[in-house]
Amino acid sequence: MAGRGCGCGSGHLNEDNARFLLLAALIVLYLLGGAAVFSALELAHELQAIQRWEERLANFSRRHNLSRDELRGFLRHYEEAAKAGIRVDNTRQRWDFTGAFYFVGTVVSTIGFGMTTPATVGGKTFLILYGLIGCASTILFFNLFLERLITVIAYIMKSCHQQQLRSQRALPQEGLKNLGKHEADGLAGWKPSVYYVMLILCVASVLISCCASAMYTSIEGWSYFDSLYFCFVAFSTIGFGDLVSSQNSQYKSQGLYRFANFAFILMGVCCIYSLFNVISILIKQSMNWMLRKMDGGCCQQCHSGLTRSRRNVIMPGNVQNRCNISIETDGVMESDTDGRRPSGEMISMKDFLAANKVSLAILQKQLSETANGCPHQTSTLSRDNEFSGGVGAFAIMNNRLAETSGDR
């Protein structure tokens, strides 16, 4: 890949930086595309809503003999009341203990519906300190949940794979005594595929969302589609706040409903968080494929250019580019030159050292590590830095799924 394949220039990027820049460019394109789609879908509806509101405002002003300025001033007072949680319909208190508990749950889970916000300076100051620790702790909880979930899924899938191996070797009687050895050989290095894990998480997320939507439809009075929409917005911690559960003052079986609401949101957030991280692996694989294609085209152009330049002499710079040098992997592929020019004459020592200076630098590094008592690392380990296992959820899933074993 970039930075590991051909040396098409002294300023080429390494693989991680190339992947980062490619992802940033793809996200920008994704944002531009999303903005275009949502603008096409929602702009006309917004303009119609503005027109209807202006007509209603004008009719109300004429009917009650009020000026526009007086009416708008009154509406601004209502907007201030709405920020404090006051609604036209009868709603629950926002800052009793149960309402405050619901609020801190949306804070630490990073959902942040926005229907309740602190209004005092003390409340805003405490929110900054409280959210700093609470959000970090909740992210740690989600990562630990992901680790255990991947472990359980891997154990179940490995058991199914082991049972499949047993059924395949159950027919020949002479092979029963070697069954344990064959199972060990078949399970050695086996890991679950990220595609099966993603399918399991998708099914679990859909089941939780469907069950929660049925509950919200019957209790909150929303349509089933709006309930599904709320589930995704809440479980993915987007939290727009246009629909918020458990906000009325009274419900049938209120205690049971609030507990079920808390349980569904907790399970949904954990499953969707895990699903997002698994999908990110597939996105990373797609970017690796794109980088390989881009790097392959670069190598072909570099190879054709070098072939044209090698007529009578070998320049040290060309030899270096032909050596497929990678500092990160501590490996240099041998050039097609063996210290001779194409004409058969020996090259000078100066040119030879210039063409092989990277190999000498690696040799000096290995000798230094041996002299200091540090064993030389393998090519795979030497190119890993302190973040070789990934960060956060990537570190948890690294080498636990089949598709993450050979690629970070």
Side-chain angles (χ1 to χ4, degrees):
M1 292 185 185
R4 291 195 302 176
C6 72
C8 295
S10 59
H12 63 275
L13 295 173
N14 61 29
E15 180 182 347
D16 291 335
N17 291 335
R19 187 188 296 115
F20 172 77
L21 294 177
L22 177 60
L23 179 61
L26 292 176
I27 289 177
V28 171
L29 293 177
Y30 193 76
L31 293 175
L32 293 175
V37 172
F38 280 111
S39 178
L41 293 175
E42 300 293 337
L43 181 59
H45 182 269
E46 179 189 14
L47 296 178
Q48 293 176 2
I50 293 175
Q51 183 179 3
R52 287 196 303 267
W53 169 248
E54 292 294 335
E55 292 175 355
R56 292 174 181 174
L57 194 65
N59 294 333
F60 187 87
S61 178
R62 287 195 303 267
R63 187 182 305 115
H64 296 278
N65 196 19
L66 294 174
S67 66
R68 283 289 188 94
D69 294 337
E70 292 176 342
L71 186 56
R72 291 183 184 278
F74 177 77
L75 292 176
R76 288 191 182 94
H77 289 307
Y78 175 73
E79 288 179 352
E80 294 177 359
K83 291 180 181 179
I86 300 173
R87 298 290 187 273
V88 176
D89 298 327
N90 188 20
T91 58
R92 59 183 283 183
Q93 290 185 348
R94 301 297 176 91
W95 291 111
D96 59 355
F97 183 79
T98 56
F101 184 81
Y102 193 89
F103 167 74
V104 296
T106 61
V107 169
V108 299
S109 63
T110 69
I111 296 177
F113 286 122
M115 79 292 179
T116 303
T117 56
T120 63
V121 176
K124 294 177 181 179
T125 303
F126 181 72
L127 174 64
I128 296 174
L129 301 176
Y130 186 84
L132 183 65
I133 300 176
C135 293
S137 301
T138 306
I139 291 175
L140 175 61
F141 172 80
F142 289 156
N143 287 332
L144 295 177
F145 174 85
L146 174 62
E147 181 179 11
R148 280 147 183 79
L149 181 63
I150 295 297
T151 302
V152 171
I153 293 177
Y155 176 79
I156 296 176
M157 294 181 65
K158 189 172 183 178
S159 299
C160 296
H161 184 69
Q162 185 176 7
Q163 187 65 30
Q164 183 180 6
L165 291 177
R166 289 180 178 177
S167 62
Q168 291 176 355
R169 298 185 175 92
L171 292 178
Q173 296 293 330
E174 63 277 4
L176 290 178
K177 59 180 180 179
N178 297 325
L179 182 59
K181 181 177 181 300
H182 290 312
E183 289 181 1
D185 295 338
L187 294 174
W190 183 89
K191 295 173 184 177
S193 173
V194 66
Y195 301 102
Y196 291 116
V197 175
M198 184 182 68
L199 178 61
I200 293 173
L201 290 174
C202 282
V203 172
S205 301
V206 169
L207 287 177
I208 294 175
S209 299
C210 291
C211 294
S213 298
M215 180 185 71
Y216 293 137
T217 300
S218 60
I219 297 180
E220 296 288 351
W222 302 335
S223 66
Y224 193 78
F225 179 79
D226 285 342
S227 299
L228 285 174
Y229 163 79
F230 166 76
C231 287
F232 177 78
V233 170
F235 296 168
S236 61
T237 70
I238 296 175
F240 289 126
D242 50 348
L243 294 175
V244 183
S245 60
S246 187
Q247 294 302 301
N248 294 336
S249 57
Q250 294 293 330
Y251 290 99
K252 295 181 179 179
S253 304
Q254 181 167 291
L256 180 61
Y257 169 64
R258 288 182 176 175
F259 174 78
N261 178 54
F262 172 79
F264 275 125
I265 291 180
L266 178 62
M267 292 187 297
V269 169
C270 290
C271 288
I272 293 294
Y273 175 83
S274 303
L275 180 61
F276 283 169
N277 282 283
V278 173
I279 293 176
S280 66
I281 294 179
L282 302 180
I283 296 176
K284 186 177 181 181
Q285 289 180 339
S286 301
M287 290 191 300
N288 291 339
W289 178 82
M290 296 173 64
L291 289 175
R292 284 194 296 268
K293 291 296 184 181
M294 295 168 58
D295 192 55
C298 177
C299 287
Q300 291 178 359
Q301 294 178 1
C302 180
H303 177 74
S304 61
L306 289 173
T307 302
R308 290 192 301 267
S309 65
R310 289 177 55 202
R311 295 291 181 87
N312 298 319
V313 295
I314 297 179
M315 298 299 294
N318 292 335
V319 175
Q320 182 178 352
N321 287 336
R322 288 286 297 165
C323 284
N324 196 9
I325 299 169
S326 175
I327 296 291
E328 297 175 345
T329 57
D330 286 356
V332 180
M333 294 180 63
E334 293 184 7
S335 173
D336 55 358
T337 64
D338 56 352
R340 295 179 180 271
R341 300 185 187 275
S343 58
E345 60 180 298
M346 297 292 294
I347 65 175
S348 65
M349 182 60 67
K350 180 180 177 180
D351 292 341
F352 177 79
L353 292 177
N356 294 276
K357 60 182 179 179
V358 177
S359 300
L360 294 176
I362 294 173
L363 179 60
Q364 290 175 356
K365 177 182 176 182
Q366 295 175 358
L367 293 176
S368 176
E369 290 176 347
T370 305
N372 293 329
C374 299
H376 178 67
Q377 296 177 340
T378 61
S379 60
T380 303
L381 295 178
S382 62
R383 67 185 174 92
D384 290 341
N385 54 19
E386 60 272 19
F387 299 111
S388 60
V391 179
F394 269 137
I396 293 174
M397 293 185 292
N398 189 42
N399 292 328
R400 288 175 180 254
L401 301 177
E403 288 76 9
T404 63
S405 298
D407 180 25
R408 285 169 44 204

